[in-house]
Amino acid sequence: MSPTQSIVVIIAILIIIIIIAVMLIINRRQLRQILELDDLITKIDKMHLETDIVSLDKMDLAGESLTTLTTWRKNYEQALAKKIPAAQNFLEQAAEQNTHYHLLKAHKNIKQAQEIMDPTYKDAKNTKEVFTELLESNRENQKKYNDLFNGFKEMRKDILANSYDYGAALDQIENELTNIENDFSEAKSLTAQGDQVEAKRILSKIKAALTSIRSILPEIRNARHQLNKVFQDQLSELSDSYKKMMSSKYYITQVDVLAEIKKIRGQVVDANSLLKELKVSELKEKNAEIKKEISALYEILAKEYKARPFVEENQDKIQRLLAHEQVESKKLVAKLRHIDESYELTHNELATSRKLEQEVSDMERQYTVDTQNVADGKGVYSKIKSSWLSMLERLREISDEQKKMSQDVDGLYDSENVANDSINRFKQEVSLVYRRLERKKIPGNPDTFVQMYTLVVNEIGHVAKELSQVRLNMEKISQELIQISDDVERLKREADDIINSADLVQLTLQYSNKYSNNGSIKSAQKKAMQLYEQDYNYKDALDTIATAIEKVEPGSYQRLENLYYSDKKNS
């Protein structure tokens, strides 16, 4: 056998082996599927649905329960009579075919059996659940009925024992209990007839109704207590308190208290209607509104009651304060009018004092009205208290403002004396500055100094003239004195600069004579002397000779300057 033939034979053998292996795998998989489907049939059988049907027939079901049983029994009987036998037939054929390796035919029968068994098994499971629920519903309904009925009896017993606590709501509560009692009768009848499904629905309805009533009973008791006890007592107390206050000469204008009480009583009647109809949510809102309005009335009465002691205790005190402040106001106006003859009041003090005097007078008039109203029984104490508290605070502010004005104008006399002293002192200082320059015997004074000196002398003369006037503006004079003080200091500094520069020019020129053969020094000496003697420009003269000598002998001018200021400091 040639190599090619050998290869072909080997390939053929391998193909045969693969085919056989695939067939074995398919065979085993299909066998497993057959067993699984057969197991589903066994599981359905073990559900014992026939036994459940017999038990349910003995219960004599009716209504929706009977309809449910009939529907699901029909599904099961159809599966038992047709679907399961058909599936078993397909499985038997598939098992036989699979054994003889008629794999395609077996696969087809397995698929047909699956298409039958999958929904059939699912229906069987649902049927078992329905049958179980129907079998257990009678026992569950009976237990639920007993539990609910016992709770119902306890609730009814408690309501009857405490019927007074529910007031107008009792009739409606009884109606609700009667409806629930009727539902109990219907549930019992349905159970006896075998309609467990409908009985269960009725019992759920009863449970919801009992839960609802049980939850609102405390709210009804509380609301009824508020309406028939708390609110009534509070309204009576408010009415009595108001009448007593009126007889004690209280006066309330914020609201008509009795009309407000009458209105609230009407709201209580409306709330009782809500209580009677068991409209708990609306009732809570109405009670909250009534409570708020009653609290507002209490606050109004309490506010007036608390305000009266303040008014009575402070009546004399405020009268004394007003009388005192009126006297002080008149004194200040008279004082300012007199001062205004000699001094200009630049901050409108006189007009302000008159305005404050008028304000105090207005307060006094208001105080008179308030005290008369109190005497006539028409004084609203809370308003008077608020007004008087503001009045006390304002009187304190006015007193402080008047004291400050008085102190400020008192200082005008002192300011005038200080101004005159300052002018005399400035004159002396300027004269001393001028004499200092004269004693130095320098060729002349620079133009800048002369201008500044003239300015200062004129400023001093101007202010001196102002101080000789009949009516003085001390604020303006004070500002001008500050400016003169600054200018005098500048004049002093300028005089010091002139004297120092002139002395240093002379000292430096003397020192420069040691270099008189130097052309630049000679030229600088000549220029410096011209600036010194003819132009009176001592600063530039110093700069000229100092610069020249520094070039010839660096550091020499600094030594001369240091020596000069050192000697001057020690002398």
Side-chain angles (χ1 to χ4, degrees):
M1 183 180 295
S2 66
T4 303
Q5 291 176 329
S6 298
I7 292 170
V8 171
V9 169
I10 291 170
I11 291 171
I13 292 171
L14 288 173
I15 291 171
I16 291 170
I17 292 171
I18 291 170
I19 291 171
I20 292 172
V22 170
M23 291 178 67
L24 286 171
I25 292 170
I26 293 173
N27 177 272
R28 289 182 180 280
R29 188 184 68 189
Q30 293 188 159
L31 177 61
R32 186 167 61 254
Q33 291 174 333
I34 291 168
L35 292 174
E36 289 173 354
L37 291 169
D38 188 62
D39 185 54
L40 290 181
I41 295 173
T42 302
K43 287 180 179 179
I44 293 173
D45 185 57
K46 288 181 178 180
M47 291 178 185
H48 304 298
L49 295 173
E50 301 90 341
T51 304
D52 291 345
I53 291 172
V54 171
S55 299
L56 289 168
D57 284 339
K58 290 178 181 179
M59 290 173 62
D60 295 326
L61 298 177
E64 188 175 340
S65 299
L66 180 60
T67 302
T68 301
L69 171 62
T70 302
T71 301
W72 287 98
R73 174 160 58 183
K74 184 177 180 181
N75 287 343
Y76 171 68
E77 289 174 347
Q78 186 178 11
L80 195 64
K82 295 181 180 179
K83 295 180 180 179
I84 293 177
Q88 286 177 324
N89 182 47
F90 285 128
L91 290 175
E92 288 173 359
Q93 293 181 41
E96 178 68 21
Q97 292 163 348
N98 198 55
T99 302
H100 294 91
Y101 286 90
H102 298 156
L103 300 179
L104 292 176
K105 293 181 179 180
H107 174 72
K108 183 178 179 181
N109 286 322
I110 290 170
K111 187 175 180 182
Q112 288 178 313
Q114 283 177 330
E115 290 174 353
I116 294 172
M117 285 309 301
D118 285 346
T120 300
Y121 178 70
K122 188 180 294 183
D123 284 346
K125 282 181 67 178
N126 292 335
T127 302
K128 181 64 178 178
E129 291 176 1
V130 171
F131 286 176
T132 300
E133 183 178 354
L134 287 172
L135 287 167
E136 293 179 354
S137 61
N138 184 43
R139 179 177 58 82
E140 290 178 356
N141 285 351
Q142 188 59 49
K143 183 178 183 306
K144 190 172 184 180
Y145 179 93
N146 291 335
D147 291 343
L148 291 173
F149 193 70
N150 289 334
F152 170 75
K153 287 192 297 182
E154 288 295 322
M155 181 189 294
R156 189 164 203 174
K157 180 181 177 182
D158 180 70
I159 291 171
L160 291 174
N162 301 284
S163 58
Y164 178 78
D165 293 341
Y166 300 101
L170 185 62
D171 289 344
Q172 187 59 34
I173 292 173
E174 284 290 344
N175 290 338
E176 295 292 330
L177 293 177
T178 299
N179 292 335
I180 293 174
E181 192 172 26
N182 292 335
D183 287 338
F184 271 117
S185 298
E186 184 178 0
K188 188 173 183 180
S189 175
L190 289 168
T191 300
Q193 294 172 13
D195 192 352
Q196 303 299 335
V197 173
E198 184 62 18
K200 184 176 182 180
R201 187 187 69 78
I202 296 298
L203 288 172
S204 296
K205 176 185 174 185
I206 291 171
K207 182 179 180 181
L210 288 173
T211 300
S212 176
I213 292 179
R214 190 176 287 111
S215 67
I216 66 172
L217 287 178
E219 296 184 32
I220 291 172
R221 288 196 297 270
N222 180 59
R224 184 261 169 194
H225 176 69
Q226 281 189 305
L227 289 170
N228 296 341
K229 177 63 178 173
V230 177
F231 293 161
Q232 295 294 349
D233 290 349
Q234 289 176 337
L235 290 171
S236 296
E237 183 181 40
L238 284 168
S239 179
D240 292 343
S241 297
Y242 175 74
K243 290 174 183 177
K244 289 178 182 178
M245 290 175 73
M246 292 301 101
S247 65
S248 299
K249 292 189 175 182
Y250 283 88
Y251 194 62
I252 296 172
T253 58
Q254 186 173 344
V255 293
D256 186 336
V257 176
L258 294 180
E260 192 70 13
I261 291 173
K262 183 178 179 181
K263 185 194 80 172
I264 295 173
R265 289 192 189 280
Q267 291 177 319
V268 171
V269 172
D270 294 340
N272 267 303
S273 298
L274 297 174
L275 177 69
K276 185 176 182 180
E277 297 171 11
L278 299 186
K279 295 181 178 180
V280 176
S281 178
E282 296 176 41
L283 179 60
K284 285 174 69 176
E285 292 180 5
K286 192 67 176 177
N287 277 10
E289 180 184 346
I290 293 171
K291 184 178 180 180
K292 184 177 179 182
E293 292 180 5
I294 289 176
S295 296
L297 284 180
Y298 269 112
E299 287 178 8
I300 291 170
L301 296 186
K303 187 177 181 182
E304 296 305 316
Y305 187 79
K306 292 177 181 177
R308 183 168 183 168
F310 173 87
V311 173
E312 292 174 344
E313 291 168 9
N314 288 276
Q315 186 169 337
D316 292 340
K317 175 184 176 181
I318 293 177
Q319 185 180 32
R320 289 194 302 272
L321 287 173
L322 285 168
H324 172 75
E325 201 55 48
Q326 280 183 312
V327 171
E328 293 301 314
S329 297
K330 292 183 184 300
K331 284 182 179 178
L332 181 61
V333 170
K335 178 179 181 178
L336 292 173
R337 190 183 297 116
H338 175 69
I339 291 175
D340 190 53
E341 295 174 358
S342 301
Y343 299 95
E344 290 184 27
L345 299 175
T346 55
H347 296 287
N348 209 25
E349 288 91 345
L350 185 56
T352 302
S353 66
R354 286 170 174 162
K355 181 180 177 183
L356 294 177
E357 181 185 26
Q358 182 61 47
E359 189 174 351
V360 173
S361 296
D362 292 342
M363 288 186 200
E364 199 279 332
R365 279 193 293 274
Q366 181 59 50
Y367 168 81
T368 302
V369 171
D370 291 340
T371 53
Q372 186 60 50
N373 284 336
V374 169
D376 295 342
K378 294 183 179 181
V380 182
Y381 287 105
S382 61
K383 290 183 178 180
I384 294 173
K385 178 182 177 180
S386 177
S387 173
W388 286 8
L389 284 171
S390 299
M391 194 180 292
L392 286 169
E393 177 64 19
R394 183 57 185 149
L395 284 171
R396 184 188 63 79
E397 292 173 354
I398 289 173
S399 178
D400 291 343
E401 191 172 351
Q402 289 175 334
K403 286 177 182 177
K404 185 177 184 306
M405 273 196 290
S406 181
Q407 291 169 358
D408 288 345
V409 297
D410 285 344
L412 291 173
Y413 297 109
D414 295 334
S415 297
E416 182 182 2
N417 293 329
V418 169
N420 281 310
D421 291 342
S422 297
I423 287 298
N424 292 330
R425 177 168 53 84
F426 292 148
K427 288 179 179 178
Q428 292 174 357
E429 289 179 354
V430 171
S431 178
L432 286 172
V433 168
Y434 197 79
R435 286 201 293 273
R436 279 182 64 204
L437 288 175
E438 284 183 334
R439 285 198 299 271
K440 291 303 293 184
K441 297 187 182 304
I442 57 176
N445 294 324
D447 290 342
T448 54
F449 175 81
V450 174
Q451 291 171 1
M452 184 178 296
Y453 175 81
T454 304
L455 172 66
V456 173
V457 170
N458 288 338
E459 286 177 338
I460 294 172
H462 174 71
V463 174
K465 185 178 180 181
E466 284 185 324
L467 287 168
S468 66
Q469 299 295 317
V470 175
R471 194 163 178 263
L472 305 181
N473 185 332
M474 289 310 303
E475 183 173 355
K476 178 183 176 185
I477 290 172
S478 296
Q479 292 173 350
E480 290 173 341
L481 288 173
I482 293 171
Q483 182 61 51
I484 292 173
S485 178
D486 292 341
D487 291 343
V488 168
E489 291 301 318
R490 286 173 56 202
L491 188 66
K492 290 178 181 179
R493 290 194 297 272
E494 183 67 21
D496 287 340
D497 288 344
I498 292 171
I499 292 170
N500 291 331
S501 296
D503 288 345
L504 283 169
V505 168
Q506 294 175 5
L507 183 62
T508 307
L509 283 171
Q510 291 174 5
Y511 186 81
S512 67
N513 286 331
K514 65 188 289 189
Y515 300 107
S516 58
N517 294 328
N518 186 300
S520 61
I521 292 295
K522 289 179 68 174
S523 176
Q525 288 176 333
K526 183 180 180 180
K527 183 177 181 182
M529 287 302 295
Q530 180 183 350
L531 290 168
Y532 182 87
E533 294 178 344
Q534 298 178 19
D535 298 336
Y536 314 141
N537 192 341
Y538 307 110
K539 291 181 181 179
D540 288 351
L542 179 59
D543 288 341
T544 301
I545 190 61
T547 302
I549 199 171
E550 275 293 312
K551 290 180 180 179
V552 175
E553 184 184 344
S556 57
Y557 172 73
Q558 190 63 51
R559 289 195 306 273
L560 291 171
E561 186 180 52
N562 292 340
L563 180 63
Y564 169 77
Y565 284 111
S566 177
D567 291 342
K568 187 174 182 180
K569 181 178 179 182
N570 294 328
S571 62

